[in-house]
Amino acid sequence: MAQVTLLCGPAGAGKTTIARELEAAGAVVLSFDREAWARGVRDGRPSRELVEAVDADLHERMRDAVAAGRPVVVDASMAARWVRDEWRARCDAVGASHELVVVRAERARLHDRVEARTPGPDAVRLEHDALDAYLDGFEWPGDDEPHALVET
């Protein structure tokens, strides 16, 4: 049975670092940021239509990788419970086991990391206020959502 690792956390927390480690071990990385960048989004603010298109493409790639018996890591913020629920249901539908890994860091550290980034496919830069608004609206998994926690 293929394993799908669902990464959850805000910009700058370290999700992509974990995804790269899993990729080096053979996992297929499905990165929302990489896909958005490839489609021309440079400001971290994709349209709703683009979000839906990228999501559908990542879902299809996950199905293909699982069918081929490959481990998968989904590198996305998964900032809302309904998004995490949807990805878990997708994994269940294709017979993949799944693990939610929550990646956290202190707010000041997130700001430092995001500000220090060179924009690129794996490194979206957000303005200070935009990052704060994003963090304030983040719906962290509760005790009713089994998950592993990684503090960075």
Side-chain angles (χ1 to χ4, degrees):
M1 176 183 293
Q3 169 71 33
V4 177
T5 302
L6 304 170
L7 297 177
C8 170
K15 297 181 307 296
T16 299
T17 299
I18 293 170
R20 287 179 183 149
E21 291 169 0
L22 294 171
E23 184 175 39
V28 174
V29 174
L30 304 177
S31 167
F32 185 87
D33 288 343
R34 285 183 194 173
E35 275 304 305
W37 184 271
R39 297 175 193 212
V41 175
R42 301 293 187 262
D43 63 1
R45 296 181 177 172
S47 67
R48 182 93 223 125
E49 294 80 17
L50 183 65
V51 168
E52 291 171 0
V54 168
D55 182 68
D57 289 348
L58 295 181
H59 179 205
E60 182 177 340
R61 290 183 199 168
M62 186 267 298
R63 281 194 317 259
D64 292 346
V66 167
R70 301 275 314 273
V72 175
V73 57
V74 180
D75 181 4
S77 68
M78 299 206 186
R81 170 75 185 246
W82 72 267
V83 173
R84 297 186 298 272
D85 287 345
E86 188 169 299
W87 274 97
R88 284 188 287 262
R90 289 171 175 178
C91 292
D92 291 342
V94 296
S97 61
H98 50 83
E99 175 186 28
L100 179 64
V101 176
V102 177
V103 187
R104 295 182 75 141
E106 294 178 7
R107 187 177 290 244
R109 182 162 293 178
L110 296 173
H111 277 287
D112 291 345
R113 289 176 180 168
V114 171
E115 288 172 15
R117 287 178 166 178
T118 301
D122 289 324
V124 173
R125 287 195 69 189
L126 299 172
E127 295 299 321
H128 189 88
D129 292 344
L131 180 56
D132 277 336
Y134 173 53
L135 293 170
D136 291 343
F138 206 95
E139 186 180 353
W140 294 99
D143 292 338
D144 63 329
E145 280 186 271
H147 62 275
L149 178 62
V150 176
E151 296 276 353
T152 63

